[in-house]
């Protein structure tokens, strides 16, 4: 069938017939895409619109001019935009869109640019309008929806580019090379910023992963040393000395010019591999650099954990103390120092540290539990039971505190 050339009024009448359905379907699609992409931790923003007639008609005329005799096919009558914080989120969003919608076409904008050119980058998908939506609302005037996936910075560039160039395409050709170079520099800066943000995100992910492993191993050591004393009393002779448990390692030569970020990641990696002397060397190098108090608090705490893992208890106590000196609100440092003193059977001093930690932050079931243990070893069973009950009130699922409570109840019955 030959394409029939219509007047503007005829095009407008046909276009506006589907206006209500188009608006409703656009809203439903925004909600549907938002529901899908909000499964990601970064929860990308989703915006959308149905094209106004004037904008539609301008594009219609432009396509008629480019392809005379053919009916214009406009893909962005309904358009959605997914705006992501990081570059890697774009691929994650693309994967989710592919999974939950029927994709007709995929285009990666920006791949065609040479290093000398500038322009925004993004991922463009064409998806089918879901049949259930057309069944619900009727024909919306299009079978496809354009979905653009951009980072925040790509979106910023696209908005500026649209205002400067798309709406003023004739004026753009008048720009001289110096102005074009400036624009290229701006685009390159935004692209570089996106890459740097992504690198920082990857670093944080690695750092958090190593921190999580380090915490898990540290807490296992605490449980082995303190709970072992509680539920299986052993003689002083049976306890290993620091010399018997410390690992024999060589101390690495640390690059004195390495940045703190690299030193910390190397320290945590070595720590998690049980290469404690290596970790301590990295931590010590960071402390030699004049870093801010918050960083020092954290590093003293980590180095203290490494000393504790080697059963170098006095050095661990010293580092946890220094951590508290640099930040008097570091309740975990007070707790860790209390744990080490419990291992050394300095129970009264341990209680003082646990109490200090709880004074800073009362909502610590594990600190109440450890203080209760210290009271138990001092044979103050009512105080131990009070702490155990308080710990269970904060964390009812704690099997350790539950077993401790049973032990205390039996002990008090025997004494009663």
């Amino acid at each position: 069938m030959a394409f029939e050339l219509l007047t503007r009024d005829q095009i407008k009448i046909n276009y506006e017939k589907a206006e209500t359905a188009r608006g409703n379907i656009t809203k439903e699609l925004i909600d549907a895409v938002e529901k899908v992409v909000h499964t990601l931790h970064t929860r990308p923003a989703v915006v959308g619109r149905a094209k106004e007639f004037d904008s539609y008609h301008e594009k219609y005329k432009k396509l008629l001019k480019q392809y005379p005799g053919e009916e214009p096919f406009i893909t962005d009558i309904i358009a959605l935009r997914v705006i992501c914080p990081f570059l890697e989120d774009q691929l994650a969003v693309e994967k989710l869109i592919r999974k939950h919608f029927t994709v007709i076409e995929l285009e990666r904008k920006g791949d065609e640019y040479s290093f000398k050119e500038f322009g925004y980058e993004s991922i463009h998908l064409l998806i089918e309008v879901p049949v259930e939506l057309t069944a619900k609302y009727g024909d919306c005037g299009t079978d496809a929806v354009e979905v653009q996936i951009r980072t925040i910075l790509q979106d910023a560039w696209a908005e500026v580019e649209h205002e400067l160039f798309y709406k003023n395409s004739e004026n753009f050709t008048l720009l001289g090379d110096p102005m074009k170079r400036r624009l290229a520099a701006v685009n390159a800066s935004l692209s570089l910023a996106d890459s740097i943000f992504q690198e920082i995100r990857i670093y944080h992910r690695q750092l958090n992963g190593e921190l999580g492993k380090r915490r898990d191993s540290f807490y296992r050591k605490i449980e082995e040393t303190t709970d072992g004393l509680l539920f299986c009393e052993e003689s002083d002779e049976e306890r290993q000395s620091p010399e018997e448990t410390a690992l024999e390692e060589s101390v690495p030569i640390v690059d004195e010019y390495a940045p703190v970020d690299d030193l910390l990641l190397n320290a945590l990696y070595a720590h998690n591999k049980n290469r404690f002397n290596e970790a301590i060397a990295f931590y010590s190098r960071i402390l030699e650099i004049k870093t801010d108090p918050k960083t020092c608090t954290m590093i003293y705490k980590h180095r203290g954990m490494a000393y504790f893992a080697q059963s170098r208890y006095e050095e661990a106590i010293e580092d946890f103390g220094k951590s508290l000196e640099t930040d008097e609100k570091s309740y975990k440092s007070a707790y860790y120092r209390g744990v080490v003193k419990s291992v050394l059977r300095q129970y009264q001093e341990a209680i003082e540290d646990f109490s200090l930690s709880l004074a800073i932050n009362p909502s610590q079931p594990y600190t109440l539990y450890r203080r209760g243990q210290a009271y138990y070893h001092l044979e103050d069973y009512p105080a131990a039971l009070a702490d155990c009950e308080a710990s269970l009130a904060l964390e009812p699922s704690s099997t350790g505190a539950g077993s401790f409570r049973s032990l205390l109840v039996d002990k008090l019955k025997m004494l009663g």
Side-chain angles (χ1 to χ4, degrees):
M1 178 184 286
F3 167 62
E4 182 183 357
L5 192 62
L6 303 176
T7 67
R8 185 182 190 280
D9 288 342
Q10 289 173 319
I11 295 169
K12 186 174 184 180
I13 290 169
N14 290 338
Y15 192 71
E16 291 182 347
K17 281 180 184 177
E19 186 172 2
T20 301
R22 193 158 48 243
N24 288 329
I25 287 175
T26 300
K27 290 176 184 176
E28 290 247 11
L29 281 170
I30 291 170
D31 291 342
V33 172
E34 192 172 70
K35 184 178 179 181
V36 166
V37 301
H38 277 194
T39 57
L40 297 175
H41 176 69
T42 51
R43 296 175 68 85
V46 181
V47 295
R49 60 101 185 105
K51 216 171 187 64
E52 297 291 335
F53 174 72
D54 286 343
S55 177
Y56 169 82
H57 189 244
E58 284 300 315
K59 198 158 191 176
Y60 188 94
K61 289 190 299 181
K62 185 177 179 180
L63 289 173
L64 270 181
K65 190 175 180 180
Q66 283 182 312
Y67 308 102
E70 295 182 21
E71 183 174 5
F73 176 58
I74 299 174
T75 61
D76 65 341
I77 291 175
I78 297 175
L80 306 183
R81 194 183 308 163
V82 184
I83 305 168
C84 310
F86 299 100
L87 285 169
E88 68 179 352
D89 294 330
Q90 289 180 283
L91 295 178
V93 168
E94 179 192 327
K95 186 176 180 181
L96 288 169
I97 298 292
R98 284 173 173 273
K99 180 179 178 181
H100 291 90
F101 300 91
T102 302
V103 175
I104 304 168
E105 184 177 310
L106 167 67
E107 181 183 6
R108 301 187 190 280
K109 295 277 188 179
D111 283 354
E112 72 274 16
Y113 294 124
S114 75
F115 71 96
K116 295 180 180 179
E117 296 176 302
F118 61 90
Y120 79 88
E121 298 177 3
S122 65
I123 298 171
H124 286 203
L125 299 167
L126 278 187
I127 64 172
E128 286 184 2
V129 176
V131 291
E132 59 268 24
L133 292 184
T134 52
K136 182 177 179 181
Y137 295 111
D139 177 38
C140 63
T142 182
D143 296 324
V145 175
E146 184 173 277
V147 181
Q148 301 172 349
I149 308 171
R150 303 172 180 162
T151 66
I152 295 168
L153 295 181
Q154 288 170 353
D155 189 59
W157 172 262
E159 289 294 324
V160 172
E161 184 184 52
H162 184 76
E163 288 295 321
L164 288 178
F165 313 139
Y166 183 77
K167 292 185 177 180
N168 301 280
S169 56
E170 292 182 4
N171 292 339
F172 177 64
T173 60
L174 301 177
L175 290 179
D177 286 343
M179 188 61 71
K180 289 180 180 179
R181 280 195 292 270
R182 286 189 177 189
L183 290 169
V186 171
N187 181 257
S189 296
L190 291 174
S191 297
L192 178 61
D194 256 338
S195 298
I196 291 172
F197 288 153
Q198 182 61 45
E199 288 174 10
I200 293 171
R201 189 188 194 196
I202 291 170
Y203 170 79
H204 279 168
R205 185 184 298 124
Q206 291 176 320
L207 186 62
N208 289 333
E210 296 301 327
L211 282 169
K213 293 176 189 175
R214 190 267 310 145
R215 277 192 296 267
D216 290 344
S217 63
F218 180 66
Y219 291 149
R220 279 197 301 273
K221 169 85 170 178
I222 290 175
E223 289 170 4
E224 290 167 3
T225 52
T226 58
D227 291 357
L229 287 172
L230 181 65
F231 298 113
C232 184
E233 295 288 346
E234 56 188 15
S235 66
D236 287 338
E237 289 75 18
E238 289 174 314
R239 293 174 66 223
Q240 289 182 308
S241 67
E243 290 75 23
E244 291 172 324
T245 56
L247 299 178
E248 290 296 326
E249 308 173 54
S250 60
V251 179
I253 298 173
V254 179
D255 180 5
E256 62 178 313
Y257 300 109
V260 170
D261 290 344
D262 289 349
L263 290 170
L264 178 56
L265 203 54
N266 287 334
L268 292 172
Y269 183 78
H271 198 150
N272 291 332
K273 295 294 183 181
N274 296 334
R275 302 202 299 263
F276 300 116
N277 283 341
E278 185 177 340
I280 289 166
F282 283 120
Y283 291 139
S284 299
R285 175 58 193 145
I286 295 171
L287 290 168
E288 288 172 5
I289 301 169
K290 301 300 182 183
T291 51
D292 61 281
K294 186 176 180 180
T295 302
C296 286
T297 298
M298 177 182 67
I299 299 304
Y300 277 127
K301 196 160 47 181
H302 289 348
R303 193 173 70 174
M305 292 176 184
Y307 283 136
F308 179 72
Q310 289 186 308
S311 300
R312 294 163 66 178
Y313 298 128
E314 295 300 335
E315 289 159 295
I317 288 172
E318 184 179 355
D319 267 4
F320 292 140
K322 286 178 179 177
S323 180
L324 265 170
E325 287 174 15
T326 54
D327 180 8
E328 61 183 16
K329 297 297 183 182
S330 180
Y331 63 92
K332 286 188 177 179
S333 298
Y335 166 67
Y336 295 155
R337 189 170 66 180
V339 166
V340 182
K341 289 177 180 176
S342 288
V343 172
L344 294 174
R345 302 191 180 186
Q346 299 169 5
Y347 297 119
Q348 189 57 54
E349 292 181 34
I351 289 168
E352 291 171 7
D353 279 333
F354 293 141
S355 298
L356 172 59
S357 181
L358 289 163
I360 301 168
N361 179 11
S363 300
Q364 298 183 76
Y366 46 84
T367 304
L368 287 162
Y369 174 45
R370 301 301 174 195
R371 188 174 70 175
Q373 288 183 341
Y375 279 128
Y376 174 86
H377 291 298
L378 292 177
E379 299 183 358
D380 188 346
Y381 304 125
L385 183 58
D387 271 354
C388 185
E389 296 283 14
S391 176
L392 283 167
L394 292 171
E395 191 176 0
S397 61
S398 171
T399 55
S403 299
F404 185 36
R405 184 184 183 280
S406 299
L407 179 79
L408 286 166
V409 169
D410 291 342
K411 180 73 73 172
L412 288 168
K413 283 180 181 177
M414 290 172 56
L415 295 175

